[in-house]
Every structure is written in C-alpha cells, then in structure tokens.
C-alpha cells in the first residue's frame, strides 16, 4: 500500500502532467473549447490530447472516409459522419453532423473500402455493405448482406478489418456467447473464432459458421483486430474470462491475463513457433497467467497457459502449454477493445475499456506497444510492454466517473482519434513536438515515453508500469460459498457426489450465470452441467418453457443438444430484448427476432396443460415468460410517432400485442400509466364501419389489427389511467377472477367455432351524436373529449351477460338481425392478383355457432342473440373468432321485441376465447358515414359465484 507521501506525490505529478498537457492543446487560438464530461485525461510526457466531439450516443468503432469525415458507429443508433473544422494540430471541432445509416442494430464494427465508395458495418448477426458517397456523406444503396448467422449473446460485437496486403479480404471476429462457452470447443460452431472472407469472388452471402478462412479458434472475445502494415501479420487483442477459479481458489483479481495474439497471415503462411493460420488458442479450457504466483499448483510464468477444473487426460497444464500461447499478456480485466498500427509498423496502439470484475479498477486508458520486424519488441512474459499514453487521473472513480476508450482511427495527418462510449466523446491524441503521432517506436523518428513518465499521470500502478501484485481472494460465488461453507475437506467429498445430485442442486439456481459458476467448481460439476449429453439443459429448458412442437416451432427436437441450443437462443432474447431500445413498429431485425419468439411462446402456451382449468390464472410457463418480457422490454407500450399502417412486420407486431390483451390490463403493470396515443385510439374507436371495417383483406376475414389495437388502448386508458380513466376505481376494485385473464388450454385452429364461457363482464362507451362528429374529425387530438360509460356512477358500473350455445334449428334467426349483422353472409373476397389468391384461406369451410344470452346494463335487463364464426389464423396465431350479436329489449307484458331499441354488436374474440372487443351501433339511427356507434369490451368471468345465473 502506498504511503500518504507517495500518493500525494503521484497526485501532484498527475496534476502537473495534466496541466502541462492542457496548456499545450492548441493554446488560446483553439475555439470552441469543449469540456470533458469527467476529469480531464492524464497524458504522458511528449503527448497532448484534446476533446473534439461530445454528446454522441455510445460511440464505438470509428473510421475516416476519403474526404476526411469521421464516421462513427453510435451503438443502438447507426453511423454518423462528423465533418471536422481543422485549425491545425489539436485545434479541431465538429462543423456538422450527419446521419449516414440509421440502424439501431449496428453496434461496433466499421470499415471503408480503399477507394472510399463502399461502407461496411456489422450488427451482432450480419455484416452489411452500402454504396457510399463521401462527397455527400450518404449511403446510395440498400444494405447488402455479406455475412450472416453470427448471432449470439453476451459478446455481440463483430470487428471488421479490410486487408491492405490481400485486397478484397475482410477479417471478422466473433466472440463467445457466455463467460465460459463450451460451444467454443467445437471447431464447427463458429464461436470464439476469427475468420477472413474473400469479397471479390462472393456470389451469395457467406454464413460465418460454414464459410471463410479460419485464422484462429479458442479465442474468447477478440474485439480488436489489426493488420501489421509491413509484414501483413494479423494481430488481435482478447478479452479473457471473468470470475475464474482454479482448484477451488478464486484467482480472478489478477488472472487470467488479457492477450495480444498473433493470428498468422492472410496468404496462409505462418511464423514457425509462433502459431498462425487456423490454430487453437485454448479457450474455454486454457488461459494465460498474468500473476502466475497466484495460480495454485502452476509452475509456469506470466504469459504461459494453465488449465481450469480438475486436471485429467484431456485438460491439463501440459496440454494447455502445447496450444498456441499469446504473444503478450496484459493485466486481467482491462478489456482491450481496439488495436491500430502506425504506418511504419513500429507501434501498436491499444485501447483498454476498463474492468468491472476487479476490486481495484484497472484499464480505462490508451497504451502503445513497441514493434519491430512485425512482432512486439518485448518478450511474451513481459509485464511492461504496454506503455500508458492517455489515462484517467483517478481510477477509483471508474467506471462511472471515467472516459472508457473504444475505437481508434488515423486521419490523413497522422493524428490519432479515440472514442469513449461511456461518455459519448471523441478525443484526438498527438505529439507535443508537432510531429505525427505515427512516428513513434523502434526505428521511427520519435521515441516512446519512458515508464516513469507514462505511469506518473495515472496515479496508480498499471499494466506496462508494474509487476502485478498479489491480491487477496474475494467472493465471486457467494451463493455457493454459503452453500458449501468453503471447507476444504468437504470439497473432496463434494466432487464425488453423483452427477444426478449435482444436476439437482444446479436446477435451483434462477440465473444462468450462477449455473456457469457452479460448473466451474470442479470436474464433477462441469460434467453434471455439460458432459452428460446435455441432459441438464434439456431439463432446464422444460422447467422454464413448455414443450415445443414441430408444428409451432418448426424444429424437430430429437436430442439434448438441440434443447441446449434452443434454450440459449431463447434466453438471450428474453434477457436482453432489444438491447435497451423500445419496440416501435416491429420492423428491425432485433424486433423481428423478439416477435418470432413471442409468436412461438404464444402458440406453445398451455401445451403442458391436459385439462384447462379456467379458475387458474396464468398457469402457463410460457405466458408468465411473455408477461415478464413485456413489462421488462416495453413490448406492449404504445409508441407515438405514426398511426400504425398494419402492413408487413407491423401487422404481425400488432397481432401479437392484441393476442396478449390480458397483460394490458394487469394492475401490477409498471407501464400502466403509459397510454400514449389515446386521442388517436379514441378517434378510431368511434369511426363508422364504412371508414374503419373490422374485417377486410383479400379474403374478407383478415382482422384490422390497427383498429383492434386502438380498441385495447382505448379501454386500457379508461381502466388504468390514474387520473382520467373513467372506470379506473371500479376496475381496480374488481376481484382477480373478475378481471381479464389468459386462456388455459393450448390454442388450436379448428374449422368449427368454439363455445364461449357462460358469464361475461364488460362495458361500452358512448357520447352524444354531435360529439361523435367532433371525435371523428380529429378534434379529440386538439382537446380532451370526455367519454361516457355504461353504468357509470351506478352501483353496478359493468354490464354482465350470460351466454348459452343454441341449436340453430330451434328457432328462426330473425331476418332483421341478419340484415344488420350479416352474421351468416359469406365474407366478400377481394383477391385480384395471383399472390392475393394464394394468400386467401383455402382450408375446411369455416362454420358458425349460434348463441343466446341475457344480461343487465345499468339495472336494466336485456336479451341477446348472435353467432360465432371461426376465423383463419392471423399472422400465424390461431384461435380468433368473429362475434356478431343483437342486443334487444322485450316488453314484459306482451313479450314483443322493441324494434326501435336494437343495438348491434360486431367484434373480435381474442385467441383463447377469454376476451372480445368490438363496435356497437344503433341500426335505427343512421348508417354509412352517419352511423351512431362506439366501442365495447367483454371478458370471461366464469366462476363458482355465477353458477346460479346473473349476479344481482
């Protein structure tokens, strides 16, 4: 531990270094001057830095185009071009900012072709290219898919490097899908690998798993990749594993080391003894020592590899030593994210993003490594190879109070630019003597700063300036420590526990991360989780999800490995959703993946239920997952930006939202006050059928999903809005069994309609006739127009109706009812094109089911009679029905129907037959555009308390 005097001296030195650097950044002539979000960076002697841009959204990869614009990948946003105003040296500022590509899936990788006319960028799954105009800073084409099938979790960046030595070749790195990903042991998995792809002879998109030139595998997360300019050697910097243990001892504070790996040459040659094209670098079994003294029972030194788990014939230190070792190692957890060579090949600049898995933060800096003859000058066991140039003055404030370096780029004048994603900033770094930053290193005109000068500005010892110190082991698996007490004598017995017991213990962990930690305890726990034919992951899948069927998922799950792969894919989507981006229109790649999973979960929901029990709410594992996902990731939140068109992916998105209607009315929903767009919903709710039909499409049986979504939004507002919802207090007072619920048997698609539950509760809204006209004309968007509700301010605010199936032969269906409802009239088919005809329903003839009913509304009894008609699947979701019903009143004395008081109902029964929404209208009060109409909602409240008929 440093003395107070030493700490004070280092702090003073840091202050002087920073002050000197600040005073030399362009002087008084630099204008405007930006202020860094956190404390000004500490800079090594002989260098200066200046903040060039701020206010960006997670800037990651950066690259200059041929006209000098800085292209920035803003993660979750897209690619932005910054035009810089250059007053010389470090006096740079942003003159203009322009969006080049708007795509929230782009997250890191970027490249520009040598002629400047092609732009490359990557999402976690796909490498795209665009035709690009550097003069106008615009993409001039639709994106072309070059490489796909790279999706994964945890490590989702796909770094790109275009080769200058082998034109047309692009290098792409793909990391692991978890901290310790055993899939990487399989060479055919494409995981934790670096590959190169020839763009010159490409005839169709490559798949990462099956195509490409393998440069290396067993590389956990090689985020930074660069081509050495003289020899063409490919180097990568690797982020190694977290929370590592060996022989039951926590060694993660200083081990394993981050790595600099030599990956060979793109022409297929390799340097003898140094590895090269296509070799195994050890992950997930072997790791490189940074502080070798802290690795139990390890006789190697810094930079050499050791095995994790129990030593056996397939995984041990001897075998690890035979695999490809790194060329250099760095302090554990510093997280190198980019590497960039100067033109002479004498120096490699590396950004260290900074640690999260360490008691004392490390990294958060830009360092340089001296090279000569295509390789590092320092030996592989060096702990001083990386020399700090720009760093945070006080790492104790990291990560929250520090800049975090990510991407690097040279401009045409040899100035080095660096992005910081955590602070949204871009810095420029250059030599204080006015020479190019490129001219450093062996045989160059400049020299690297000495170790003392480079470390004085950091205030702490770091990689490249000190030998790693031994740090006391701390927790990391606290839950397991409590479980097993950390007793050494128990560990031996524990490792001999039968595999079934280990699997049973692991099944109690809610988080997959805890399962991964448990697996690292010993060989027995590893075998229980991963070596028993993936039986654990099959059981894990079936404990969390309902058993999938081929009809719904399109997968024939015949072995445990398939269950394991499907589990990891689904858990990634459920955990990360849209990566902090909200659902909007369902048309981005990430939205589509989430919605595809929601669709499958909906169709497989209640698959484990043999006999539906309508008294049980949310019995389905899938429905519980959907509810949790919806609340966590805003699936059902309304986005106010445009009126939904209901076409393409957006129509599928709305169909899923509508099918999940019961979740919209959950009182525990944290988004219950998120009712954006009520005015649009109100306008659509009161629109007449001629302007807003419920059914349409080429088959006449396609539900108008934008209209249906608007109805649900309308009622959600009135049931849940804490201030303006007219039925909020009454709805909140309902018992759980009296509120909307999900279905309890698996959805199916049958030609015959299904009988509904007997008892239904609900409401309808109305306004005066002159008010309807104002709403339909959009006046509700200018000022709030108040609805009225059935039973409002009465002892019974909700109407109740009791429905019974009826044999259609018992009585004649009144012609007057049919004239208004068209319950039995075949839908009008409007298919004109071949595609439309192919898209029309051609299954068994859809049938109808007659029902009668009675109910009360605001203490007034009424009668009802109507039909249910089965609808074809909507966007792949089965179980929708059309409901038409005439609500009428009968004279108590004469038994004659009052034909002047007919109320027609048409609506959609949502999948599962537990809720319906639709339109009511008065047949005797206008038709066409002048129809007097409004919205209604009903939901099933089948329960023991209603067994005796209508509640009174």
């Amino acid at each position: 531990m440093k003395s107070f005097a030493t700490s004070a001296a280092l702090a003073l030195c840091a202050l002087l270094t920073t002050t000197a650097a600040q005073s030399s950044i362009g002087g008084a002539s630099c204008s405007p001057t930006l202020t860094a979000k956190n404390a000004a960076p500490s800079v090594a002697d002989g260098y200066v830095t200046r903040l060039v841009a701020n206010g960006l959204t997670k800037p990651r990869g950066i690259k200059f185009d041929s006209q000098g614009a800085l292209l920035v990948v803003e993660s979750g946003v897209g690619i932005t071009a910054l035009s810089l105003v250059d007053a010389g040296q470090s006096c740079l500022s942003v003159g203009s900012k322009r969006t080049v590509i708007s795509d929230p899936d782009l997250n890191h990788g970027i490249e520009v072709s040598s002629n400047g006319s092609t732009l490359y960028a990557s999402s976690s799954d796909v490498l795209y290219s665009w035709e690009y105009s550097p003069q106008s800073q615009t993409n001039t084409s639709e994106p072309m898919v070059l490489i796909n099938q790279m999706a994964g979790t945890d490590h989702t960046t796909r770094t790109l490097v275009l080769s200058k030595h082998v034109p047309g070749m692009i290098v792409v790195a793909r990391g692991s899908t978890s901290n310790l990903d055993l899939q990487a042991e399989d060479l055919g998995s494409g995981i934790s690998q670096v590959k190169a792809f020839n763009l010159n002879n490409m005839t169709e998109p490559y798949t990462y798993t099956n195509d490409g030139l393998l440069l290396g595998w067993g590389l956990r997360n090689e985020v930074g990749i660069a081509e050495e300019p003289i020899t063409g050697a490919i180097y990568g910097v690797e982020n190694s594993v977290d929370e590592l243990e060996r022989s039951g001892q926590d060694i993660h504070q200083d081990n394993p080391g981050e790595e600099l790996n030599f990956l060979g040459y793109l022409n297929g040659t390799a340097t003898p003894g140094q590895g090269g094209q296509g070799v195994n670098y050890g992950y997930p079994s072997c790791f490189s020592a940074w502080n070798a003294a802290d690795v139990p029972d390890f006789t190697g030194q810094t930079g050499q590899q050791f095995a994790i788990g129990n030593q056996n014939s397939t995984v041990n230190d001897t075998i690890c030593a035979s695999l490809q070792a790194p060329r250099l190692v760095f302090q554990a957890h510093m997280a190198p994210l980019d590497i960039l060579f100067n033109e002479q090949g004498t120096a490699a600049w590396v950004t260290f993003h900074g640690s999260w898995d360490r008691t004392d933060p490390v990294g958060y800096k830009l360092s340089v490594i001296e090279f000569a003859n295509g390789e590092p000058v320092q030996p592989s066991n060096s702990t001083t190879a990386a020399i700090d140039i720009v760093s945070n003055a006080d790492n104790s404030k990291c990560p929250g109070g520090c800049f975090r370096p990510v991407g690097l780029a040279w401009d045409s004048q040899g100035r080095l630019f660096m992005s910081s994603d955590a602070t949204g900033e871009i810095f420029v770094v250059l030599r204080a003597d006015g020479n190019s930053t490129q001219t450093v290193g062996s045989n160059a005109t400049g020299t690297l700063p000495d170790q003392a000068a480079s470390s004085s500005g950091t205030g702490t010892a770091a990689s490249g300036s000190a030998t790693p110190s031994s740090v006391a082991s701390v927790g990391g698996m606290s839950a397991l420590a409590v479980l097993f007490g950390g007793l050494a004598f128990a560990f031996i017995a524990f490792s001999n526990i039968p595999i079934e017991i280990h699997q049973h213990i692991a099944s109690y962990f809610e988080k997959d991360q805890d399962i991964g930690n448990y697996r690292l305890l010993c060989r027995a726990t590893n075998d229980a989780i991963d070596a028993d034919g993936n039986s654990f992951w099959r059981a894990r899948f079936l404990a969390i999800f309902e058993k999938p069927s081929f009809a719904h998922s399109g997968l024939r799950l015949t072995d445990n490995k398939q269950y394991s792969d499907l589990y990891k894919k689904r858990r990634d989507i459920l955990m990360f959703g849209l990566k902090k981006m909200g659902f909007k229109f369902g048309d981005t790649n990430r939205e589509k993946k989430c919605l595809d999973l929601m669709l499958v979960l909906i169709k497989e929901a209640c698959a484990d239920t043999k006999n539906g029990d309508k008294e049980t709410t949310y019995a389905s594992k899938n429905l519980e997952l959907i509810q949790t996902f919806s609340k966590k990731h805003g699936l059902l939140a309304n986005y106010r930006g445009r009126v939904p068109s209901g076409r393409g992916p957006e129509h599928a998105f709305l169909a899923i939202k509508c099918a999940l209607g019961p979740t919209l009315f959950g009182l525990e929903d944290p988004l219950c006050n998120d009712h954006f767009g009520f005015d649009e919903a109100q306008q659509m709710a009161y629109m007449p059928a001629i302007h807003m039909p419920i059914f349409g499409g080429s088959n006449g049986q396609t539900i108008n999903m934008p209209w249906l979504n608007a109805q649900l939004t309308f009622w959600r507002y009135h049931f849940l809005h804490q201030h303006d919802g007219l039925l909020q207090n009454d709805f909140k007072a309902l018992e759980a069994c009296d509120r909307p619920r999900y279905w309890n048997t698996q959805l199916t698609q049958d030609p015959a309609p299904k009988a509904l539950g007997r008892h239904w509760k609900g409401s309808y809204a109305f306004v005066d006739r002159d008010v309807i006209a104002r709403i339909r004309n959009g006046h509700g968007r200018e000022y709030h127009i108040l609805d009225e509700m059935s039973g409002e301010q009465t002892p019974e605010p909700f109407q109740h109706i009791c429905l019974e199936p009826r044999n259609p032969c018992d009585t004649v269906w009144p012609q007057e009812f049919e004239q208004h409802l068209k319950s039995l009239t075949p839908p009008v088919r409007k298919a004109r094109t071949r595609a439309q005809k192919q898209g029309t329903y051609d299954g068994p003839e859809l049938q109808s089911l007659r029902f009668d009913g009675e109910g009360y509304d605001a203490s007034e009894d009424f009668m009802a009679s109507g039909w249910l008609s089965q609808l074809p699947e909507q966007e792949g979701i089965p179980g929708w029905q059309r409901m038409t019903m005439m609500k009428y009143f009968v004279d108590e004395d004469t038994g004659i129907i009052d034909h002047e008081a007919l109320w027609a109902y048409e609506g959609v029964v949502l999948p599962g037959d537990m809720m319906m929404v639709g339109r009511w209208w008065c047949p005797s009060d206008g038709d066409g555009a002048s129809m007097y109409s409004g919205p209604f909602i009903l939901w099933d409240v089948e329960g023991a308390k209603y067994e005796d008929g209508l509640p009174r």
Side-chain angles (χ1 to χ4, degrees):
M1 183 175 179
K2 298 182 182 71
S3 67
F4 174 79
T6 303
S7 299
L10 286 172
L12 178 60
C13 184
L15 177 62
L16 292 174
T17 304
T18 302
T19 302
Q22 298 267 330
S23 65
S24 60
I25 301 178
S29 61
C30 280
S31 181
T33 299
L34 301 178
T35 301
K37 182 176 181 180
N38 299 309
S42 177
V43 187
D45 274 353
Y47 289 86
V48 295
T49 187
R50 179 180 172 84
L51 180 61
V52 173
N54 58 9
L56 300 171
T57 301
K58 296 181 182 178
R60 299 281 294 186
I62 56 177
K63 196 78 177 179
F64 279 93
D65 70 12
S66 59
Q67 297 297 309
L70 182 60
L71 301 177
V72 182
V73 176
E74 294 188 79
S75 181
V77 176
I79 298 177
T80 302
L82 304 181
S83 296
L84 302 179
V85 177
D86 189 351
Q89 294 295 309
S90 63
C91 292
L92 294 145
S93 60
V94 176
S96 65
K97 178 179 176 182
R98 182 186 181 92
T99 299
V100 179
I101 307 283
S102 179
D103 185 347
D105 287 345
L106 303 182
N107 61 7
H108 184 84
I110 185 171
E111 263 290 7
V112 180
S113 62
S114 58
N115 64 5
S117 63
T118 305
L119 179 61
Y120 304 87
S122 60
S123 67
S124 63
D125 187 36
V126 180
L127 168 60
Y128 300 100
S129 70
W130 296 263
E131 294 178 7
Y132 173 68
S133 169
Q135 290 77 21
S136 61
Q137 297 174 359
T138 57
N139 64 304
T140 58
S141 70
E142 291 298 312
M144 175 183 289
V145 175
L146 303 181
I147 305 171
N148 55 26
Q149 296 186 19
M150 297 188 288
T153 59
D154 204 4
H155 303 126
T156 59
T157 59
R158 306 290 176 251
T159 302
L160 314 175
V161 173
L162 280 172
S163 172
K164 293 182 179 178
H165 276 254
V166 186
M169 293 290 283
I170 189 166
V171 180
V172 184
R174 182 186 183 193
S176 65
T177 64
S178 61
N179 182 41
L180 200 64
D181 189 351
L182 293 191
Q183 296 178 88
E185 293 178 335
D186 179 5
L187 182 59
S189 69
I191 292 173
S192 297
Q193 298 179 5
V194 177
K195 289 186 172 184
F197 298 82
N198 190 340
L199 302 180
N200 290 332
N201 60 5
M202 184 180 126
T203 58
E204 60 183 17
Y206 291 114
T207 61
Y208 193 91
T209 302
N210 301 324
D211 302 322
L213 173 69
L214 181 66
L215 299 183
W217 61 297
L219 297 159
R220 179 178 179 269
N221 191 26
E222 213 81 358
V223 184
I225 303 287
E227 183 180 56
E228 196 275 333
I230 306 303
T231 65
I234 304 296
Y235 281 91
V237 285
E238 179 168 345
N239 291 237
S240 197
V241 75
D242 300 309
E243 301 174 340
L244 189 64
E245 294 191 352
R246 171 157 154 137
S247 301
Q249 181 176 326
D250 181 359
I251 62 172
H252 88 278
Q253 292 284 339
D254 285 316
N255 288 290
E258 314 285 50
E259 299 178 355
L260 172 72
N261 290 304
F262 169 65
L263 304 175
Y265 306 89
L266 293 182
N267 60 9
T269 61
T271 301
Q274 292 192 17
Q277 207 175 80
V279 299
N280 185 359
Y281 289 77
Y283 176 82
S285 300
C286 304
F287 299 91
S288 302
W290 168 251
N291 188 353
D294 272 2
V295 181
D297 305 318
F298 180 58
T299 59
Q301 60 181 344
T302 296
Q304 293 181 337
Q305 301 209 67
F306 60 88
I308 62 168
N310 291 342
Q311 306 285 300
N312 55 50
S313 59
T314 58
V315 179
N316 55 59
D317 289 351
T318 301
I319 290 177
C320 288
S322 69
L323 300 179
Q324 184 56 50
R327 185 56 185 81
L328 288 173
V329 291
F330 314 110
Q331 163 71 57
H333 312 303
M334 290 207 300
L337 293 192
D338 203 0
I339 177 172
L340 186 65
F341 286 93
N342 63 353
E343 292 177 349
Q344 299 85 0
T346 57
W349 296 79
V350 178
T351 55
F352 291 101
H353 198 233
S355 64
W356 67 269
D357 190 29
R358 198 172 189 278
T359 303
D360 296 323
V362 291
Y364 307 96
K365 61 188 178 182
L366 170 67
S367 301
V368 64
I369 301 165
E370 190 171 11
F371 267 68
N373 302 315
E375 61 177 331
V377 171
Q378 294 286 337
S380 61
N381 64 346
S382 172
T383 60
T384 59
I387 300 171
D388 304 343
I389 302 300
V390 182
S391 57
N392 283 276
D394 184 1
N395 273 9
S396 68
K397 296 181 179 179
C398 301
C402 298
F403 71 88
R404 303 192 72 177
V406 182
L408 295 171
W410 297 111
D411 74 354
S412 59
Q413 298 183 38
R415 294 174 293 195
L416 184 61
F417 288 73
M418 174 184 72
S419 66
S420 166
D421 61 350
T423 57
E425 296 171 328
I426 304 287
F427 295 88
V428 64
V429 180
L430 61 160
R431 294 264 302 272
D433 60 10
N435 288 319
S436 169
T437 314
Q438 295 257 13
T439 56
V440 296
S442 177
N443 301 320
T445 59
T447 59
L448 295 172
D450 61 32
Q451 299 289 357
S454 67
S455 63
S456 65
T458 66
T460 57
S463 159
S465 61
T467 301
S469 59
S470 178
V471 181
S473 176
V474 297
M477 295 186 67
S478 56
L480 298 178
V482 172
L483 183 61
F484 304 114
L487 301 176
F489 72 88
F491 186 80
I492 298 175
F494 178 70
S495 64
N496 293 323
I497 291 176
I499 191 171
E500 295 81 6
I501 301 300
H502 281 303
Q503 290 177 338
H504 185 69
I505 293 171
S507 70
Y508 281 91
F509 293 116
E510 294 183 3
K511 297 181 179 179
D512 293 342
Q513 182 179 0
D514 291 335
I515 294 175
N517 290 336
Y518 184 77
R519 186 175 63 80
L520 292 176
L521 278 176
C522 61
R523 172 55 58 181
T525 57
N526 178 81
D527 292 346
I529 303 302
D530 285 332
D532 187 33
N534 284 294
S535 63
F536 173 82
W537 292 111
R538 178 191 179 104
R540 180 80 170 174
F541 182 99
L542 295 176
I544 294 177
F545 302 97
E546 289 168 88
K547 187 173 182 179
S549 65
F550 173 77
H552 293 146
S553 66
L555 299 173
R556 296 190 185 278
L557 301 182
T558 57
D559 59 53
N560 294 343
K561 179 65 164 56
Q562 291 174 306
Y563 276 96
S564 174
D565 293 343
L566 186 58
Y567 174 83
K568 293 173 183 177
K569 180 179 179 180
R570 288 188 177 185
R571 292 293 282 182
D572 164 54
I573 295 174
L574 291 174
M575 180 177 295
F576 297 106
L578 296 184
K579 308 293 181 69
K580 300 182 180 180
M581 298 293 292
F583 281 88
K584 292 186 178 180
F585 308 118
D587 52 2
T588 66
N589 290 337
R590 187 70 185 180
E591 283 179 300
K592 291 176 183 176
K593 290 178 181 178
C594 293
L595 295 176
D596 286 345
L597 177 56
M598 293 300 105
L599 176 61
V600 171
L601 294 182
I602 288 172
K603 295 166 73 172
E604 293 175 353
C606 303
D608 298 340
T609 305
K610 303 303 180 184
N611 296 303
D613 177 11
K614 291 190 176 181
E615 296 303 315
T616 304
T617 304
Y618 304 139
S620 165
K621 290 179 284 190
N622 282 11
L623 291 177
E624 290 179 349
L625 290 170
I626 290 171
Q627 289 185 97
T628 301
F629 179 88
S630 300
K631 295 169 187 176
K632 181 178 179 182
H633 300 291
L635 174 64
L636 303 181
N638 291 313
Y639 175 73
R640 189 169 196 162
R642 72 184 189 206
V643 176
S645 67
R647 294 186 295 271
E650 191 172 354
H651 198 267
F653 178 28
L654 293 177
I656 290 173
K657 288 183 67 173
C658 294
L660 299 177
T663 296
L664 285 169
F665 301 100
L667 295 178
E668 74 283 0
D669 188 350
L671 297 175
C672 65
N673 285 319
D674 173 24
H675 302 286
F676 297 116
F678 170 75
D679 44 7
E680 291 97 332
Q682 184 187 46
Q683 183 181 22
M684 294 178 75
Y686 284 101
M687 278 293 183
I690 192 171
H691 292 154
M692 195 66 65
I694 303 177
F695 303 98
S698 58
N699 60 3
Q701 295 175 313
T702 300
I703 298 171
N704 183 342
M705 289 299 172
W707 176 89
L708 185 59
N709 181 66
Q711 305 303 300
L712 292 170
T713 298
F714 176 91
W715 288 110
R716 184 186 187 201
Y717 179 90
H718 281 303
F719 288 170
L720 296 181
H721 198 283
Q722 294 180 356
H723 301 292
D724 297 326
L726 296 181
L727 295 173
Q728 191 262 341
N729 292 328
D730 298 313
F731 186 79
K732 186 176 181 180
L734 292 174
E735 298 179 29
C737 63
D738 281 341
R739 292 198 293 268
R741 299 169 294 155
Y742 273 111
W743 59 92
N744 292 84
T745 56
Q746 190 170 13
L747 302 180
T748 57
Q749 185 64 32
D750 303 311
K754 300 177 183 177
L756 300 178
R758 189 180 182 201
H759 291 279
W760 292 74
K761 189 180 290 288
S763 183
Y764 58 86
F766 62 95
V767 293
D768 291 339
R769 216 179 210 302
D770 60 329
V771 177
I772 280 188
R774 297 208 306 271
I775 292 176
R776 291 174 178 174
N777 290 329
H779 293 172
R781 301 190 183 198
E782 301 171 4
Y783 55 88
H784 186 67
I785 297 178
L786 193 64
D787 302 282
E788 296 184 63
M789 297 289 161
S790 63
E792 187 179 353
Q793 298 179 348
T794 68
E796 183 55 51
F798 297 101
Q799 67 172 329
H800 194 104
I801 184 169
C802 180
L803 302 178
E804 296 283 358
R806 180 166 187 167
N807 187 334
C809 299
D810 287 350
T811 59
V812 176
W813 171 243
Q815 182 61 35
E816 182 182 13
F817 289 4
E818 177 64 22
Q819 176 185 350
H820 297 301
L821 295 172
K822 296 180 172 52
S823 302
L824 304 178
T825 304
V828 178
R829 300 178 181 270
K830 301 178 180 178
R832 295 183 177 88
T833 66
R834 181 181 301 175
Q836 288 176 337
K837 291 177 181 179
Q838 291 175 344
T840 58
Y841 177 74
D842 59 356
E845 182 179 353
L846 299 176
Q847 304 172 26
S848 298
L849 176 69
R850 175 87 179 269
F851 66 85
D852 283 340
E854 60 175 339
Y856 68 87
D857 171 13
S859 301
E860 185 177 10
D861 293 343
F862 64 84
M863 305 297 289
S865 187
W867 292 85
L868 292 172
S869 301
Q870 189 73 335
L871 295 170
E873 288 189 355
Q874 306 287 318
E875 299 297 337
I877 302 175
W880 308 81
Q881 299 191 83
R882 177 186 182 231
M883 189 281 297
T884 52
M885 178 181 75
M886 188 64 76
K887 176 178 169 181
Y888 58 94
F889 299 87
V890 177
D891 187 281
E892 293 182 358
D893 297 327
T894 64
I896 299 175
I897 296 175
D898 183 355
H899 293 275
E900 297 301 318
L902 298 180
W903 298 95
Y905 281 62
E906 181 186 30
V908 176
V909 181
L910 302 186
D913 307 317
M914 301 292 283
M915 181 185 293
M916 64 176 88
V917 291
R919 172 189 290 120
W920 61 261
W921 71 95
C922 180
S924 62
D925 190 0
D927 57 9
S930 63
M931 170 190 285
Y932 181 54
S933 62
F936 77 86
I937 184 171
L938 292 168
W939 60 90
D940 184 299
V941 291
E942 192 75 47
K945 68 179 182 179
Y946 298 126
E947 287 295 324
D948 297 330
L950 293 174
R952 300 295 185 186

